[in-house]
Amino acid sequence: MSVAAVPPDLAAVAAAFPLAGPIASAAPYGNGHINETYLVSVATASGERRYVFQKINQRIFKNVPALMENIARVTAHVRAQQPRALALVSTRAGEIVHRTAAGEWWRLYDFIEGAHTVERVTTEAQAREAARAFGEYQALLVDLPGGRLNDTIPNFHHTRSRFDTLRRAVNEDTQGRAAGVRAEIDFATAREADTDVLLDLLARGELTERVTHNDTKINNVMLDEVTGRCAAVIDLDTVMPGLSLYDFGDMVRTAASSTAEDNPDPTQMHVVLPYFRALVDGYLESAGAVLNATERAHLGFAGKLLAFETGLRFLTDHLQGDVYFRIHRPGHNLDRARTQFALVKSIEDNAEAMRRIVAAAEKTTTVF
Ligand code: ADP
Ligand code: GN1
Ligand code: MG
């Protein structure tokens, strides 16, 4: 899992927090594309205790205090109802995040024991539980006190603006890569109209802004080792105002897909209908009462939109020189874009079957 060496200043960062004992070990952890995550173990009189340190990516998160304020509010609210949920550990000075002399931002979470994340769904039960958990999270946040959360990345899931950014990247072509990705650019251009569908519904008042997670990748939910039930929803950097369909769509993208998002062979990517059915069932079980008819009717479309949007973002990053998503090999973002677009195509080809799945779960008419 390791992606980097332990930074030499981790011990100094750790000193800012009231750890339960001296550090016994520290190692890079997880497979995220954005932040740097470290698992730190400390020795205590009663045995080992573990923590998760994260260095927040400031290139992407421009206003870390606003982001951390969101996380502190959301974790406090959720923990009142889910004792095992993600818990921030404040610094010795009582701050929710630590700023080093060099200007880096670090935060600390208690390690959630007895649970793990998965990179791929392998059973319908897992898909159902992940969707139920994210849906429950959504439902818990309906009555979050304290007013609107901060927009930590403006227009994060504004698919029209993601499309326009791709178009600009193509025109600027700073890396001279556009000629090599004509087919992908054409694929995106042919689907431009999709980018406005949810935004138009929002403008017409048929969709409602809610507090959403906005990064409901399957590896952002921790499942209990023994029961397989959700232990905690994690990775709250993008918790902010959004559409519930973005949350559902990203689950479809990552949990109802046949292979990893970066498989270099896009022919291996397709939508997995039994997992899609499990996601619909799980999400409706917990969030069904919160969702309106338009939301429920667009569950299938949301999967296509999020795969499309994420493909647009990967393709844009490829054209711009891989400045946003961490890459592990040359062409990594292009592989990711191609494989996302293969998923879009597969969802288009399976639209009728998906419509029937939602209708069966819903017993109402769905649109796609
Ligand atoms: P990123 O934004 O880079 O994806 P995450 O917050 O998702 O970062 O953390 C990366 C990985 O670290 C997760 O997929 C999970 O496996 C692990 N992780 C994160 N927070 C915790 C925690 N509190 N307890 C246990 N594991 C965690
Ligand atoms: C990033 O941080 P991580 O790996 O959970 C990204 C998501 C993308 C995802 C694609 C803040 O998520 O929006 O969908 O990669 N997070 C941010 O794998 O941009
Ligand atoms: Mg993550």
Side-chain angles (χ1 to χ4, degrees):
M1 257 199 180
S2 297
V3 289
V6 175
D9 55 347
L10 190 64
V13 171
F17 291 90
L19 301 184
I23 294 182
S25 67
Y29 196 68
N31 287 324
H33 296 339
I34 308 290
N35 295 312
E36 285 176 33
T37 302
Y38 301 92
L39 171 59
V40 171
S41 209
V42 307
T44 77
S46 52
E48 174 197 63
R49 177 154 169 196
R50 302 199 285 177
Y51 298 93
V52 169
F53 275 87
Q54 285 185 322
K55 181 165 120 184
I56 303 167
N57 186 328
Q58 290 189 66
R59 201 164 30 81
I60 288 173
F61 300 108
K62 307 285 183 208
N63 186 345
V64 174
L67 175 156
M68 290 306 300
E69 183 187 293
N70 283 359
I71 294 182
R73 284 178 57 194
V74 166
T75 50
H77 183 69
V78 171
R79 275 177 63 76
Q81 288 156 88
Q82 293 182 346
R84 208 176 169 190
L86 195 63
L88 270 176
V89 180
S90 294
T91 66
R92 290 180 191 279
E95 307 282 349
I96 53 180
V97 61
H98 171 64
R99 186 157 205 208
T100 68
E104 292 174 350
W105 291 100
W106 286 83
R107 69 177 162 226
L108 181 61
Y109 290 119
D110 279 322
F111 189 89
I112 295 164
E113 298 288 353
H116 64 280
T117 49
V118 295
E119 293 299 318
R120 307 284 326 137
V121 162
T122 49
T123 65
E124 287 169 40
Q126 252 174 8
R128 187 189 168 101
E129 176 58 12
R132 195 204 55 74
F134 279 122
E136 183 175 43
Y137 211 74
Q138 164 96 101
L140 279 177
L141 293 175
V142 163
D143 60 354
L144 178 76
R148 199 171 183 276
L149 287 175
N150 303 308
D151 278 305
T152 47
I153 302 184
N155 290 336
F156 188 61
H157 283 305
H158 195 288
T159 319
R160 158 58 60 184
S161 110
R162 295 292 188 185
F163 184 88
D164 292 344
T165 305
L166 171 66
R167 191 145 43 198
R168 265 199 311 281
V170 172
N171 291 337
E172 289 166 7
D173 196 18
T174 56
Q175 312 296 308
R177 293 178 174 176
V181 295
R182 248 2 312 161
E184 288 72 26
I185 295 167
D186 291 348
F187 183 97
T189 306
R191 287 157 182 80
E192 180 176 356
D194 284 339
T195 66
D196 294 318
V197 172
L198 299 189
L199 295 167
D200 287 349
L201 289 167
L202 179 64
R204 291 208 299 271
E206 291 179 46
L207 292 177
T208 312
E209 183 185 272
R210 305 186 186 284
V211 179
T212 47
H213 182 282
N214 294 304
D215 190 5
T216 55
K217 259 167 105 157
I218 189 64
N219 65 5
N220 286 332
V221 56
M222 299 203 61
L223 302 174
D224 186 278
E225 307 279 6
V226 176
T227 64
R229 299 280 290 179
C230 170
V233 163
I234 60 168
D235 202 347
L236 304 179
D237 287 323
T238 52
V239 169
M240 60 183 157
L243 300 183
S244 57
L245 288 170
Y246 298 147
D247 279 1
F248 187 78
D250 212 46
M251 283 185 246
V252 176
R253 182 181 81 77
T254 60
S257 49
S258 57
T259 190
E261 69 179 10
D262 63 346
N263 190 322
D265 177 5
T267 66
Q268 292 184 26
M269 176 58 97
H270 55 85
V271 63
V272 181
L273 293 177
Y275 291 170
F276 176 72
R277 181 181 294 113
L279 291 178
V280 171
D281 288 347
Y283 199 58
L284 290 181
E285 180 187 326
S286 52
V290 172
L291 303 179
N292 70 25
T294 307
E295 286 166 326
R296 294 197 304 270
H298 285 80
L299 293 173
F301 175 80
K304 174 181 165 185
L305 186 73
L306 267 286
F308 184 49
E309 180 188 297
T310 310
L312 294 176
R313 295 175 63 196
F314 288 146
L315 186 57
T316 302
D317 204 27
H318 174 71
L319 288 167
Q320 292 179 336
D322 308 305
V323 291
Y324 188 98
F325 296 102
R326 185 180 298 130
I327 59 166
H328 303 289
R329 55 178 186 261
H332 202 167
N333 275 313
L334 180 55
D335 287 345
R336 289 169 173 152
R338 286 185 171 142
T339 297
Q340 289 302 291
F341 286 170
L343 181 57
V344 171
K345 182 70 176 57
S346 172
I347 295 178
E348 288 173 352
D349 293 345
N350 285 280
E352 183 51 36
M354 292 169 75
R355 197 181 288 125
R356 270 189 265 115
I357 287 170
V358 177
E362 249 293 278
K363 298 188 184 56
T364 74
T365 314
T366 62
V367 294
F368 209 87

